[in-house]
Amino acid sequence: MWSDLPQPAGKVTTPLKDKRIDSGAVCSWISSRTNMVARLQTFSFIMKTVQRKVSLQADETTLTEVQFGPMKLLKDPLQVLLVFAKEDSQSNGFCWACEKANFRCSMARTPESALECFLEKHHDLVIIDHRHSRHFDAEALCRSIRAVNSAENTVIVAVVKRPDREEASVMPLINAGFNRRYVENANMMACYNELLQLEHGEVRAQFKLRAGNAIFTALEQSQEAIEITSEDQVIQYVNPAYESIMGYQQGELIGKEIIEVPKSEKNKPDLLETINSCIRKGKEWQGIYYAKKKNGDSIQQNVKITPVIGQGGKIRHYVSINRPLNDNNKSDKSSERVQAESQTDIQSSKHKDRRKGSLDVRSTTSRGSDGSSQRRHSSMARIHSMTIEAPITKVINIINAAQESSPMPVAEALDRVLEILRTTELYSPQLGTKDEDPHTNDLVGGLMTDGLRRLSGNEYIFSTKQPHHLPSHLTTPLSLNDIPPRIAQTMENEDSWDFDIFNLEAATMKRPLTYLGLKIFSRFGVCEFLNCPEATLRSWLQVIEANYHSSNSYHNSSHAADVLHATAYFLCKERVKQSLDPIDEVAALIAATVHDVDHPGRTNSFLCNAGSELAILYNDTAVLESHHAALAFQITTRDDKCNIFKNIERNEYRTLRQAIIDMVLATEMTKHFEHVNKFVNSINKPLAAVEENGGNGDEESVKSILTSPENRILVKRMLIKCADISNPCRPLELCIEWAGRISEEYFAQTDEEKRQGLPVVMPVFDRNTCSIPKSQISFIDYFITDMFDAWDAFADLPNLMQHLDNNFKYWKGLDERKLHSLRPPPE
């Protein structure tokens, strides 16, 4: 009977245990014991099931493609084995569900036929009736299936009775090898839903695990030495190439700690400490390293160590890829120089934030010197025959030519340079994983992307508000001199960086832009430059301010006034004045005033996901910034009463318009790093080189750098970008207020996304769980620090950098106390 089936030695405690039985013995046992009547009953039942007409049309649920890391796996329709001793409503329910889901279904009535069928087809999913022990022992059947070698990745489900009283433990089922249980429910849709959940859950996970065999096969065949260690740096795997190169057998290394393996004395004393310091922070390390073979010889290797994030968002493994350098006879001095350069790179980033590590270069595939040289020569001949060359093509040609006569380490380094240059995102650093820093990832996702694909059926349409007339409720000052004394007093120190915009907001009843604009535009002589009356400027400021949404907690006219104030402050800096012409200054002030006009209080990603009218109009590209610029000119030119451009010459207007549009578009965050890097490379570094050289022609060289048309554009972009996100550089109380306002706006967006069923762009900005200090730390680390370092080097802003340092320490202090709020609780 069933009890004399071949059983595996020992109790199976997990479905992944590799228990083997003699399949030949099993098959001969089956052939001698198979019940022919049961077979005929099974065949008859399957035929009836196939012939049954189902009124509902089958859903297209067959999974044909599964993503497993970078691998794309093609998957056949699911193979399901149902083991039920008798036909009943439950077995019929699962048969119907398999047919509806387009799964390939087999039915077995006895343990013998079940095992025989499984050995033939190796099903992905087995469902065993565990309700009636008098028919067969379901747990014994599960153990026997698990004992088959191919069952390692099969999902097995037990159908159990609905409990009468107390819920029973599932441990006996798990010990027998079941993955999960299904409490009997013959409802067809319940069975169908269970199959879908199994397919997209346990079955898919097991399918990916099965694909892992291909990955290990690749590791075994690789000619590069590969070593995998645990988070505690215990060796877990080395491939045959590692054994061949280092002279060790796998068994001599597995389970040993890295520190137990002999080290070469040729490495610099602090190199290992430097490597460990780098990789423990989640950064990849690459450089030259001497390893000690089993026979005591040292071998020089190009090593890349990559931390792998696993459970809990923590580093769980380190993967080391080691490639021996071809010429081991080169002088130690040369290799030490390269090694020192690797150390210098690491040391230079030691005090920077974690994200700097993501900028490490990626290595290319290994290459032999002869074949690569020949390949490069052939490629170069084709490239040089091209008649049209883009600048990047010229750069690649120069690097390719340099590789021809370079030693191997330099040639390989240049290969990595070429790999970076051929990517499309030259200016955007790579982030760590979502689990490493969810705040930074969400900020980048929300601010630097155009959203996910729009979801059909979940469209949320924004109607663009475009008032045509001046609102009648606004109090119109007759002139700058007629500003009420209380408001005038509030603006007395508007030329100071510590100017409190919130005092002005309160004094003007949330309309600070008109009053501050009148004073700043007067100070810079904007009316004289534009040849427009002050009344026209006043009307223009009022209608622009009226098109800001006072209901927004952050993107309102107070933010516009704050950016205008920062812009005016930067324009007074000596270096900026040397670089820009009067028309640039006027363009900057106007751009700051209009840069967020009619902002809906939602990000570009939200608008794209919601399928808003604006996103459709601007093709999901720089949606809000394009709208701000376009609407500003529509409002301005629609009515002569507020058309500040009416009296300037056509060519001057075109120049001014282009500059304003360029600056407003520069506030879009997708090109943040491009703008910053271009500013550093085109302005900061050349100026620093001139200052270092000293000697003749300094003034002319500086003037040439500052006033070239291309660099003036870069200065204006950097100026308005810094003004737009300067909140972390304001005095602490102002910084805290702005942080609270932007957080509230992001909270409101998350609430809206959940209500509308849209993708949540920034999940960390959930008002119930968000840590505002963490979000500010991430924002400063990722966007602010480098940009203001570059701007300070140009414009000399020590007070701003001191505020930035103080504010960062403030947020860090709150975070270290595990506080999520803007301020610490009262003592």
Side-chain angles (χ1 to χ4, degrees):
M1 301 302 292
W2 177 246
S3 59
D4 64 352
L5 260 177
Q7 299 289 324
K11 185 169 68 173
V12 178
T13 58
T14 168
L16 296 181
K17 281 284 185 184
D18 185 16
K19 300 289 185 182
R20 291 180 172 82
I21 61 174
D22 186 344
S23 58
V26 173
C27 290
S28 66
W29 181 88
I30 289 172
S31 65
S32 64
R33 300 293 182 102
T34 301
N35 187 322
M36 185 59 68
V37 175
R39 282 187 171 186
L40 290 173
Q41 288 175 339
T42 302
F43 178 76
S44 174
F45 176 80
I46 292 173
M47 290 303 295
K48 285 190 289 184
T49 303
V50 171
Q51 292 167 1
R52 184 190 301 124
K53 292 185 179 180
V54 182
S55 58
L56 294 174
Q57 187 176 0
D59 288 352
E60 291 295 329
T61 57
T62 301
L63 190 66
T64 58
E65 190 175 278
V66 176
Q67 193 74 30
F68 180 38
M71 290 179 70
K72 279 193 176 178
L73 311 174
L74 294 178
K75 188 175 184 303
D76 292 329
L78 214 64
Q79 293 260 22
V80 181
L81 173 61
L82 302 178
V83 187
F84 286 81
K86 292 184 177 180
E87 178 182 356
D88 62 4
S89 58
Q90 184 65 74
S91 65
N92 289 343
F94 276 119
C95 281
W96 178 90
C98 288
E99 185 176 348
K100 178 174 171 58
N102 290 330
F103 296 162
R104 296 173 183 168
C105 177
S106 304
M107 175 67 75
R109 296 297 185 198
T110 65
E112 298 93 330
S113 61
L115 195 55
E116 181 181 18
C117 189
F118 182 80
L119 288 169
E120 179 186 349
K121 296 186 178 179
H122 309 291
H123 303 81
D124 304 294
L125 173 62
V126 179
I127 300 177
I128 302 175
D129 189 359
H130 193 281
R131 296 171 298 169
H132 310 292
S133 58
R134 66 180 181 276
H135 295 309
F136 58 78
D137 187 340
E139 293 180 17
L141 173 58
C142 181
R143 288 192 183 96
S144 293
I145 292 175
R146 282 286 177 223
V148 178
N149 194 29
S150 61
E152 182 180 12
N153 300 112
T154 297
V155 175
I156 308 180
V157 178
V159 178
V160 300
K161 286 184 178 180
R162 189 173 298 278
D164 296 329
R165 295 181 299 276
E166 190 174 341
E167 184 79 21
S169 169
V170 297
M171 279 310 300
L173 297 177
I174 292 172
N175 289 336
F178 286 102
N179 294 85
R180 63 186 288 172
R181 68 171 188 175
Y182 176 79
V183 179
E184 61 178 343
N185 183 350
N187 180 279
M188 290 182 174
M189 283 308 296
C191 295
Y192 177 62
N193 289 336
E194 178 70 10
L195 289 184
L196 291 185
Q197 292 180 75
L198 285 165
E199 180 196 20
H200 292 278
E202 282 95 331
V203 173
R204 182 177 291 189
Q206 293 298 330
F207 181 66
K208 292 179 179 179
L209 280 176
R210 195 179 302 140
N213 293 329
I215 297 172
F216 273 103
T217 301
L219 293 177
E220 294 285 298
Q221 299 297 324
S222 173
Q223 295 183 6
E224 293 180 324
I226 298 172
E227 174 189 66
I228 301 176
T229 62
S230 70
E231 57 196 300
D232 301 321
Q233 297 198 341
V234 175
I235 300 173
Q236 297 181 318
Y237 171 82
V238 294
N239 69 342
Y242 187 100
E243 294 178 293
S244 173
I245 293 170
M246 300 302 297
Y248 289 99
Q249 294 298 310
Q250 203 176 56
E252 298 176 89
L253 296 172
I254 302 299
K256 276 192 175 183
E257 292 187 26
I258 287 284
I259 56 174
E260 297 179 50
V261 180
K263 302 289 182 295
S264 172
E265 298 78 18
K266 290 191 175 183
N267 294 307
K268 289 190 174 294
D270 59 347
L271 180 59
L272 278 177
E273 182 183 342
T274 300
I275 295 173
N276 288 330
S277 172
C278 176
I279 62 177
R280 282 173 183 159
K281 293 177 183 175
K283 302 177 185 177
E284 185 179 87
W285 184 87
Q286 182 164 343
I288 305 301
Y289 179 79
Y290 280 98
K292 196 167 194 175
K293 298 167 71 171
K294 185 178 180 180
N295 63 11
D297 294 343
S298 291
I299 179 172
Q300 189 183 16
Q301 297 179 322
N302 191 337
V303 177
K304 180 164 71 171
I305 305 174
T306 304
V308 180
I309 305 301
Q311 184 183 9
K314 297 180 179 178
I315 297 171
R316 297 299 182 185
H317 299 91
Y318 298 100
V319 177
S320 175
I321 301 176
N322 314 318
R323 186 167 62 219
L325 295 180
N326 290 348
D327 189 356
N328 290 324
N329 298 320
K330 290 187 178 181
S331 67
D332 288 348
K333 185 176 180 180
S334 172
S335 63
E336 286 172 5
R337 174 181 56 80
V338 178
Q339 193 180 93
E341 288 172 2
S342 300
Q343 284 186 274
T344 304
D345 290 342
I346 298 298
Q347 293 293 341
S348 66
S349 64
K350 184 173 281 188
H351 302 293
K352 294 285 185 181
D353 54 275
R354 177 195 56 73
R355 65 180 171 79
K356 300 297 186 201
S358 61
L359 292 168
D360 293 346
V361 294
R362 305 281 187 249
S363 71
T364 55
T365 56
S366 60
R367 55 185 183 83
S369 57
D370 295 340
S372 293
S373 176
Q374 186 175 2
R375 173 182 54 77
R376 283 203 306 273
H377 183 77
S378 174
S379 300
M380 285 294 293
R382 289 195 299 272
I383 291 173
H384 283 304
S385 68
M386 294 171 62
T387 56
I388 301 175
E389 285 187 330
I392 190 65
T393 308
K394 294 179 180 179
V395 171
I396 291 173
N397 288 345
I398 293 169
I399 294 173
N400 274 321
Q403 280 185 308
E404 297 294 338
S405 56
S406 298
M408 185 54 64
V410 176
E412 289 174 344
L414 291 175
D415 262 347
R416 296 195 295 275
V417 171
L418 289 171
E419 181 185 356
I420 294 169
L421 289 177
R422 289 180 181 117
T423 65
T424 55
E425 295 298 327
L426 293 178
Y427 293 97
S428 297
Q430 296 168 337
L431 287 174
T433 65
K434 169 89 174 168
D435 292 335
E436 285 180 62
D437 191 347
H439 288 80
T440 300
N441 273 274
D442 280 3
L443 279 169
V444 174
L447 299 177
M448 295 189 66
T449 65
D450 292 319
L452 306 173
R453 288 295 178 193
R454 180 163 56 87
L455 304 181
S456 59
N458 278 324
E459 298 182 0
Y460 179 81
I461 303 300
F462 266 104
S463 295
T464 306
K465 175 176 72 73
Q466 295 186 356
H468 287 230
H469 306 289
L470 287 174
S472 58
H473 68 273
L474 289 177
T475 302
T476 304
L478 296 176
S479 71
L480 185 61
N481 297 325
D482 293 325
I483 290 177
R486 188 164 63 93
I487 296 175
Q489 185 178 2
T490 306
M491 294 192 297
E492 279 182 353
N493 70 329
E494 56 84 17
D495 58 348
S496 164
W497 180 253
D498 294 347
F499 172 67
D500 191 335
I501 194 69
F502 300 115
N503 285 344
L504 182 62
E505 178 189 67
T508 59
M509 294 182 292
K510 295 190 175 181
R511 290 296 175 183
L513 184 58
T514 298
Y515 293 97
L516 186 64
L518 277 171
K519 185 163 187 187
I520 288 177
F521 277 48
S522 173
R523 176 153 64 91
F524 280 85
V526 173
C527 284
E528 290 81 358
F529 182 88
L530 296 174
N531 192 25
C532 77
E534 187 181 306
T536 303
L537 174 65
R538 182 176 63 247
S539 298
W540 179 79
L541 285 168
Q542 287 180 311
V543 75
I544 292 294
E545 183 157 36
N547 278 271
Y548 277 92
H549 299 196
S550 59
S551 57
N552 292 343
S553 57
Y554 183 87
H555 287 102
N556 50 40
S557 66
S558 297
H559 168 65
D562 182 63
V563 175
L564 174 62
H565 171 263
T567 299
Y569 183 83
F570 294 151
L571 288 173
C572 293
K573 292 296 161 183
E574 191 59 37
R575 268 272 172 82
V576 178
K577 288 196 291 186
Q578 291 174 14
S579 179
L580 302 184
D581 292 336
I583 194 170
D584 298 316
E585 295 180 355
V586 172
L589 295 172
I590 294 173
T593 304
V594 306
H595 84 282
D596 271 335
V597 67
D598 196 38
H599 196 295
R602 301 289 184 266
T603 63
N604 278 333
S605 295
F606 178 95
L607 298 183
C608 295
N609 290 336
S612 74
E613 292 175 352
L614 289 178
I616 293 170
L617 177 63
Y618 294 110
N619 300 315
D620 289 357
T621 304
V623 175
L624 283 172
E625 293 72 24
S626 299
H627 175 58
H628 302 323
L631 182 61
F633 280 96
Q634 288 171 8
I635 292 171
T636 304
T637 58
R638 183 180 296 140
D639 189 341
D640 281 354
K641 292 180 181 177
C642 61
N643 189 353
I644 57 176
F645 304 128
K646 182 181 178 182
N647 296 325
I648 62 173
E649 191 266 334
R650 180 186 298 274
N651 287 337
E652 199 164 40
Y653 169 71
R654 290 178 61 126
T655 303
L656 189 63
R657 170 175 158 79
Q658 190 56 52
I660 294 167
I661 293 171
D662 185 80
M663 292 182 74
V664 173
L665 293 180
T667 62
E668 192 224 356
M669 295 299 287
T670 60
K671 293 189 176 181
H672 172 82
F673 295 102
E674 179 176 343
H675 294 318
V676 173
N677 277 283
K678 284 182 177 178
F679 182 84
V680 169
N681 290 321
S682 299
I683 297 174
N684 281 143
K685 289 183 178 179
L687 286 176
V690 170
E691 290 171 1
E692 287 173 8
N693 290 338
N696 300 325
D698 277 0
E699 289 184 13
E700 281 302 313
S701 299
V702 169
K703 184 178 178 182
S704 173
I705 295 167
L706 293 177
T707 60
S708 74
E710 297 84 0
N711 285 355
R712 280 168 51 207
I713 291 172
L714 296 180
V715 169
K716 286 182 288 184
R717 289 174 182 171
M718 192 73 164
L719 185 151
I720 197 167
K721 280 182 63 61
C722 289
D724 187 29
I725 54 176
S726 63
N727 303 156
C729 298
R730 293 288 188 181
L732 179 60
E733 284 305 312
L734 304 185
C735 172
I736 293 172
E737 177 65 22
W738 284 123
R741 292 188 178 203
I742 191 63
S743 298
E744 176 54 39
E745 198 164 288
Y746 288 161
F747 294 158
Q749 174 170 311
T750 300
D751 295 341
E752 181 83 11
E753 287 164 335
K754 291 178 179 178
R755 282 197 304 272
Q756 296 294 332
L758 297 170
V760 178
V761 173
M762 296 183 283
V764 295
F765 282 98
D766 183 313
R767 65 176 70 252
N768 298 315
T769 58
C770 179
S771 167
I772 295 178
K774 278 189 187 299
S775 70
Q776 287 296 304
I777 291 167
S778 295
F779 184 66
I780 291 171
D781 264 347
Y782 199 77
F783 291 107
I784 298 298
T785 302
D786 287 349
M787 183 172 73
F788 272 91
D789 279 342
W791 189 235
D792 172 50
F794 178 79
D796 188 22
L797 304 161
N799 51 336
L800 275 71
M801 303 310 289
Q802 186 59 57
H803 285 315
L804 178 60
D805 188 49
N806 295 342
N807 296 337
F808 185 81
K809 289 176 181 175
Y810 172 80
W811 297 121
K812 203 76 173 170
L814 292 182
D815 184 49
E816 287 169 356
R817 294 170 62 182
K818 310 296 184 187
L819 298 174
H820 287 195
S821 56
L822 287 167
R823 303 175 188 276
E827 295 294 337

